[in-house]
Amino acid sequence: MLSPQDQLTELVRTLETQQHVFATDPLLITEKLQGEDGKPIQKLHRRASRIDSNGALAQVLGKIDGRIKGIMVVMSVVWCISGFLGLFTLLQANVVNFFYVLVCLLGFHTIMLLGWLAMTLVNQGKQSSNWFASFVSPSYLIRGKDDVTKAAVNLYERQLQHSGMRWYLGRFSHQLWLATLTGMLLAIVFLLIVRQYSFSWESTLLSDQALITLTQVLGWLPNMVGFGVPDSTAIAQSRLVTDAMPLSVARQWAGLLVGSLLMYGIVPRAFAWAFCALMFRRKKMRLDIKLPYYQKILNFWQRHVVDADDFNEAPAPVALKATVSAGKKLVALLEYPTEQNNWWQSGLDNILAGDVENFGILDDRDDMARLKTYLDSHPVQVLLGIHNKALPDRGTLRKLDQIASHAKEGLIVKLLSDTNISTADVSDLHVSKPQQVENQNVRYQQWQTALSARKIGLVDDEV
């Protein structure tokens, strides 16, 4: 899910492309922000907040978010109560079969946890089916025919379909299991406080020694964290118990039951919840300021108005001409794919196909880590292809600096142009094709400036 500030900013973008009438004129706010300091994303957030001066957009987003979270809280409470009532019903007799109760507590839970772990390993990099998106569809939670409500609902539905939502759903699933296990734990503690139980065990297929060994193995981890567990004598005495047993022995079995629920139920599920929360944070949906809509605003803020009589235009920085070394090359694309086959051959005809290691697209942290590991052990020159859609922001330039520091034979860059302007981009900006070509030229000069500052060679002047 996007952060609240990102959601409001994206909602403003959606409504502005639909010619929505805001409480405050977006053009006026954009012009006022031109002279203010701040990072691009901060200024975009500030712009959206000022455009929504009456708070109407934020109110609709908050209403949807509150209802989704409300459903999750209600479901967690219901699962907790169901766990409490289920175990309360199970422990009505004064003499209970220990292993039968333990299987009822942790049997299905363990199977589901192992199943989730197996599916997580099998579906690495794949998007799982999003049942949660259909279950809590925003269109069911809020009614309204106005433009703001429909745009907000569409925004939330796009977020629920994001690939990172698989970890959000996994975290919610583990949250429900934790609520159920917590309800069971509360029921066990409550009943052990107000009632005295006797614990027995029996088996048709397993021998006494097998059950003793099983109990001792089961009790190893709870005993490590301080829970009392029955010894061999207490285990042997507990077979086929039908009446009250010594209180010290009963407390040992109770300690093993509570410890098993904690160490084999709640703790592993809490680790799974934390893992999903961490992965969701890494794969969390973020505002894409590379969209043409945001780029038009950012380019406007970068312009400076000066007096024509006092203005002396400084020469624009130009990147160094790339020097191609002899030997093997590693070629890679930065964040964006390209339709050009063997794109590295244009302008570098002296590169032989056998000397090229095609690394593919560099996008996330895993790709960067894999590339740096390869460069640390292979002396190659890196040829990096950068699409004209790529924005030379802090994150992208940080990747560029990391590659340059690890490339033992140096780094050179080739800027890839796209002669086809997509219809989606044009409709989003409401500008002509020549204007978009001009924007590409501006982006090209931004890259020239960034490469010149880092003394990184540029292969050609293609735009």
Side-chain angles (χ1 to χ4, degrees), residues 233-265:
T233 303
I235 297 172
Q237 292 176 352
S238 301
R239 183 178 185 184
L240 299 175
V241 170
T242 58
D243 206 348
M245 62 172 25
L247 186 58
S248 60
V249 177
R251 285 177 175 172
Q252 291 177 352
W253 283 106
L256 178 58
L257 184 62
V258 174
S260 298
L261 178 58
L262 282 172
M263 303 310 298
Y264 302 122

Side-chain angles (χ1 to χ4, degrees), residues 292-304:
Y293 171 88
Y294 296 120
Q295 285 303 296
K296 181 181 179 182
I297 297 173
L298 296 178
N299 289 336
F300 174 77
W301 285 339
Q302 291 174 358
R303 299 171 188 167
H304 299 281

Side-chain angles (χ1 to χ4, degrees), residues 310-355:
D310 301 330
F311 177 65
N312 294 321
E313 184 176 3
V318 178
L320 300 174
K321 185 176 181 180
T323 301
V324 183
S325 64
K328 192 171 182 180
K329 304 290 184 295
L330 183 144
V331 298
L333 293 169
L334 186 62
E335 298 184 347
Y336 286 92
T338 180
E339 297 179 355
Q340 303 176 25
N341 296 325
N342 299 332
W343 54 268
W344 61 86
Q345 292 181 350
S346 176
L348 294 174
D349 298 332
N350 57 333
I351 295 182
L352 300 178
D355 293 334

Side-chain angles (χ1 to χ4, degrees), residues 59-124:
Q59 183 180 3
V60 175
L61 291 173
K63 186 182 296 185
I64 298 176
D65 185 67
R67 292 182 180 181
I68 291 178
K69 292 181 178 177
I71 290 177
M72 298 172 67
V73 171
V74 169
M75 292 179 66
S76 298
V77 172
V78 170
W79 259 247
C80 181
I81 295 174
S82 66
F84 184 94
L85 294 178
L87 196 63
F88 190 89
T89 304
L90 183 65
L91 297 180
Q92 287 302 300
N94 290 330
V95 179
V96 296
N97 187 313
F98 176 82
F99 290 102
Y100 177 76
V101 173
L102 188 64
V103 170
C104 292
L105 281 175
L106 299 177
F108 187 66
H109 163 267
T110 304
I111 293 174
M112 293 298 293
L113 184 59
L114 293 176
W116 169 82
L117 181 61
M119 292 299 296
T120 300
L121 295 175
V122 170
N123 292 330
Q124 290 187 38

Side-chain angles (χ1 to χ4, degrees), residues 5 11 24 35 69 97 174 255 275 289 333 337 370 408 441:
Q5 298 89 345
L11 181 59
T24 307
K69 292 181 178 177
N97 187 313
H174 296 314
F275 174 76
I289 63 174
L333 293 169
R370 189 163 54 92
K408 297 180 180 180
N441 294 334

